[in-house]
Amino acid sequence: MTSYGLPDWRKVGRDIGRKVRDIFNPSPDPGPSKDERRTQRLQDALKGLVYFDDFDSLDAWLPSEIDPVQVSNTPLLRRAASQVHDQQHPTTKVVLCHDYKGGYHDYESARPNSIKSEMYSQEYLQYVETFVYFSHKLVSVPPASWINLLHRNGVLVLGTFLIEPQTSDNDRMLTIVDGECTVAKQLSLMAEHFGFDGWLLNIENKFSEDVKGCAGLLSDFISSLRYYLGEHKQVLWYDALTVENEKDYQNALTLKNLDFTKAASRLFTNYRWTEEKARGSQRIATNHKLPSSNIYFGIDVWAQNTAFTAHKRVTYPPKGGGGTNTGLWGGDCSSTRLFKLHMLGNGSLEARFKLQPTINAGCAELGIYTAYKGTTGSLEYVRNKIVPQTKVETEMIFPLKASTENAHLVELGVYMVAPSVIQSNNLVLPSVIQGNKLVLSIMEVCIKPVRDYNTLYRIEALSPVLRGHSPNSEKRLAWRWRQVEAADHNEWPKELPWSATTGPFSHFVIYLEGCELGRAYCLEFPFRLVDLELVKKYPERIVVSVTGYFFGGGHINSPDVFISQKEIVIDADATERE
């Protein structure tokens, strides 16, 4: 006999209530476990991407663990002073804080895959003084790809040390062992060995009540970090934590963040500042002998994104704030400056242009001009006419030499001179160049030593190596460079960069059976399974070679080396690190 009863409506109601609550107020995602994070971190490290999620991994890090693909090879190049970047009397300085989709993307790795969609790029680097690589990690080390790019453009690169509200054990950053602040020491070693220029400190969580005198301890931490880094690197303090041990954005320089700012010497304010707060910040900076140009006022470029319906973030200016609307405009002129420079003008350097006139300028003269500044401060202009002036690609090479001694090249640009015609008392240009027209395309510009240094160096010892530990391992091509025995290191001109890792070479290009695989900025290059597609018809021996490009222009080739297919494929049981 079967009996039927009514459902327990209270139980049904509770079940429905829980499901509705989970929909509208879901439980927070705990995220990956500590072991999962460690596995991901090791995988990313093999790609050249370095970060640390917790204090344990930060404390355990050693410089001996550094992989060559993680290190920048490009020293910070000096940029010429200008109205924007006058090193003695700056009028404007810009910090760009990169916070793009969590950071550490494949395109930033040592050997990125092809980019299939539009990604982040930074243009007009001449207007940026400092670049901060930001990610929601405890410690974010800038990828070498970013450091190399920015250093070539004279831009300082900072990593980020971030304490978020969910960060545990943040009291550990103040730990002193044998009189040394261990976390600050680790951060300074990372900047030194990875090749970047300092740190942004963003502390968004207060310290525990157990920490007595935390404001003084934190000031000591910042001062210690600056001391360990040395005078040529920077610390930038973010406007979050106050001396009262509270997260309280000041949006200005105030007495609540003054001690931390003085310890760091630089402040990056939150983005809800006003002009009144900016004037107040300047007064406080002046009273406490802080350069007002070291107080950076934040602008959140995504602040008023209309895709969000609640709690829209307001940034300066309050009306329409957010976004960048920077453009370049030029009116009618007879010359256009391409580069502001500070280089030798004694004839030891030469300029090489690959260019193509796009119209037949007829009687107009089109060319490249150089400007030199001597000890008197006056400018000397030299014209280099483009010949022929037809619509064909041509190469121009000319020496960079002023007529006076001790002069420096300070400008490089394009000029056009056309005879005018007087019609009805009006000055009229030839019709071919009236209006806005593209008159010249420049494909390549290179300034290099006149002397050829190619015979001073060799690239040799190409061989496959295994890096990492199974299952996180990969095969790479490795090589070395050396100076020939008869050469004198002093022959390399002091005006050109010299890398601590790659010496006179700015980068290398790797070839497999004559096909270009990519560039390397260190002495190793990762192989990929896709490379086998290039060599399917070569089952036994494959030709590999490396071309090294000098900082000052020019290049040399390595001897060809034969390897087998299996030497670029990882064996399943490979566990040893070579």
Side-chain angles (χ1 to χ4, degrees):
M1 181 177 180
T2 303
S3 62
Y4 298 92
L6 294 174
D8 186 344
W9 294 110
R10 287 178 298 181
K11 183 177 182 301
V12 172
R14 286 195 296 268
D15 291 342
I16 294 174
R18 279 194 295 268
K19 291 180 180 179
V20 170
R21 184 180 65 244
D22 290 342
I23 292 173
F24 290 99
N25 188 24
S27 300
D29 184 357
S33 67
K34 186 173 183 178
D35 287 341
E36 290 172 333
R37 291 199 307 270
R38 181 180 182 275
T39 298
Q40 184 62 56
R41 186 167 63 85
L42 293 175
Q43 292 174 353
D44 288 338
L46 202 59
K47 299 177 183 178
L49 308 176
V50 181
Y51 54 84
F52 300 90
D53 296 297
D54 52 57
F55 282 99
D56 288 340
S57 58
L58 171 61
D59 289 343
W61 175 82
L62 295 170
S64 58
E65 298 176 359
I66 291 178
D67 189 317
V69 299
Q70 300 168 352
V71 180
S72 162
N73 79 317
T74 307
L76 178 66
L77 303 188
R78 177 186 175 187
R79 67 184 353 161
S82 68
Q83 289 184 346
V84 176
H85 291 288
D86 186 329
Q87 296 171 345
Q88 299 300 320
H89 306 286
T91 57
T92 301
K93 294 198 291 187
V94 176
V95 168
L96 176 64
C97 188
H98 167 283
D99 183 5
Y100 186 67
K101 294 184 177 179
Y104 299 109
H105 302 281
D106 177 78
Y107 76 92
E108 300 167 312
S109 65
R111 187 180 176 185
N113 296 315
S114 59
I115 297 175
K116 298 180 180 179
S117 60
E118 184 175 319
M119 302 295 284
Y120 183 89
S121 65
Q122 172 56 44
E123 301 180 19
Y124 307 117
L125 284 170
Q126 67 269 33
Y127 297 107
V128 177
E129 183 217 21
T130 305
F131 178 95
V132 179
Y133 191 87
F134 185 93
S135 180
H136 290 275
K137 311 289 185 183
L138 177 68
V139 175
S140 298
V141 174
S145 56
W146 273 110
I147 304 172
N148 290 330
L149 167 68
L150 294 157
H151 277 186
R152 285 196 297 272
N153 288 274
V155 181
L156 295 159
V157 186
L158 306 185
T160 300
F161 180 76
L162 174 65
I163 299 292
E164 295 191 281
Q166 67 271 21
T167 303
S168 60
D169 300 329
N170 55 308
D171 294 353
R172 289 176 61 177
M173 69 175 284
L174 304 178
T175 301
I176 304 294
V177 178
D178 296 330
E180 187 173 80
C181 184
T182 55
V183 171
K185 186 64 175 178
Q186 287 288 75
L187 296 178
S188 68
L189 288 173
M190 289 178 185
E192 175 188 354
H193 289 279
F194 291 113
F196 59 99
D197 309 296
W199 292 94
L200 168 69
L201 301 180
N202 185 2
I203 313 301
E204 303 257 3
N205 190 17
K206 66 180 184 179
F207 296 97
S208 70
E209 300 296 332
D210 297 333
V211 180
K212 305 301 181 184
C214 63
L217 292 174
L218 185 54
S219 293
D220 290 343
F221 170 88
I222 301 169
S223 298
S224 296
L225 179 57
R226 282 190 66 194
Y227 173 77
Y228 296 144
L229 287 170
E231 61 178 339
H232 298 298
K233 297 187 186 295
Q234 294 185 0
V235 177
L236 180 61
W237 175 259
Y238 186 71
D239 165 32
L241 197 74
T242 68
V243 293
E244 298 167 345
N245 194 27
E246 296 291 341
K247 186 175 76 169
D248 185 6
Y249 303 111
Q250 301 295 293
N251 300 289
L253 175 63
T254 72
L255 297 180
K256 291 187 176 183
N257 58 28
L258 177 63
D259 288 351
F260 302 146
T261 303
K262 289 171 67 175
S265 83
R266 289 169 174 80
L267 173 68
F268 187 0
T269 77
N270 194 46
Y271 49 80
R272 299 190 67 174
W273 54 277
T274 63
E275 293 180 15
E276 182 180 356
K277 286 180 179 289
R279 286 190 290 268
S281 299
Q282 186 176 32
R283 287 193 296 270
I284 293 176
T286 301
N287 292 338
H288 292 272
K289 298 181 180 180
L290 281 170
S292 58
S293 59
N294 283 2
I295 311 301
Y296 298 91
F297 291 88
I299 296 178
D300 186 347
V301 298
W302 303 115
Q304 294 177 345
N305 190 328
T306 56
F308 301 100
T309 58
H311 304 295
K312 291 182 179 178
R313 303 162 82 184
V314 177
T315 189
Y316 183 86
K319 186 177 181 179
T324 53
N325 298 292
T326 304
L328 297 178
W329 176 86
D332 295 333
C333 60
S334 59
S335 65
T336 300
R337 185 176 66 202
L338 299 176
F339 302 103
K340 190 85 170 177
L341 304 166
H342 184 82
M343 306 183 78
L344 291 177
N346 60 4
S348 62
L349 302 175
E350 65 183 13
R352 178 170 59 85
F353 279 74
K354 285 187 179 179
L355 43 79
Q356 180 177 339
T358 55
I359 63 172
N360 191 334
C363 56
E365 179 181 320
L366 188 62
I368 306 296
Y369 79 86
T370 52
Y372 302 90
K373 181 180 286 188
T375 54
T376 62
S378 59
L379 290 177
E380 173 193 352
Y381 288 91
V382 178
R383 291 178 178 177
N384 303 274
K385 182 180 178 180
I386 296 174
V387 179
Q389 295 190 169
T390 55
K391 300 179 184 180
V392 296
E393 182 177 325
T394 186
E395 183 176 73
M396 286 183 65
I397 300 177
F398 52 87
L400 299 173
K401 183 173 177 59
S403 61
T404 58
E405 293 184 1
N406 301 319
H408 282 79
L409 173 69
V410 294
E411 285 186 26
L412 193 65
V414 178
Y415 75 89
M416 184 170 64
V417 178
S420 56
V421 180
I422 298 179
Q423 296 180 0
S424 303
N425 296 322
N426 291 321
L427 197 63
V428 180
L429 291 174
S431 59
V432 69
I433 54 175
Q434 289 182 14
N436 294 321
K437 292 184 179 180
L438 178 66
V439 296
L440 182 67
S441 293
I442 299 177
M443 282 72 75
E444 185 177 322
V445 180
C446 178
I447 296 178
K448 61 182 289 293
V450 172
R451 179 177 173 181
D452 187 356
Y453 294 90
N454 296 7
T455 58
L456 300 182
Y457 303 96
R458 297 285 185 271
I459 298 174
E460 60 188 18
L462 279 66
S463 63
V465 296
L466 179 67
R467 294 293 184 232
H469 298 276
S470 181
N472 301 314
S473 58
E474 67 180 12
K475 286 288 186 68
R476 296 179 185 168
L477 180 69
W479 60 93
R480 68 170 181 254
W481 65 271
R482 67 174 177 88
Q483 187 172 313
V484 298
E485 293 180 2
D488 181 0
H489 175 71
N490 293 326
E491 294 185 68
W492 184 255
K494 63 181 180 180
E495 297 80 14
L496 291 178
W498 181 272
S499 171
T501 55
T502 58
F505 297 98
S506 67
H507 65 279
F508 304 88
V509 176
I510 292 77
Y511 295 91
L512 190 65
E513 285 295 337
C515 296
E516 181 179 328
L517 297 185
R519 289 187 177 188
Y521 293 85
C522 62
L523 302 178
E524 294 185 4
F525 184 78
F527 284 123
R528 295 286 184 263
L529 288 177
V530 68
D531 298 335
L532 289 178
E533 297 295 323
L534 298 174
V535 294
K536 282 182 176 178
K537 57 183 178 181
Y538 305 102
E540 296 300 327
R541 301 203 309 168
I542 305 165
V543 177
V544 295
S545 63
V546 173
T547 299
Y549 287 81
F550 295 107
F551 279 111
H555 63 273
I556 60 172
N557 300 317
S558 73
D560 289 345
V561 172
F562 293 94
I563 62 175
S564 64
Q565 281 197 20
K566 65 180 181 180
E567 289 181 290
I568 67 175
V569 180
I570 299 175
D571 297 328
D573 58 350
T575 57
E576 296 295 322
R577 183 185 180 95
E578 295 184 12

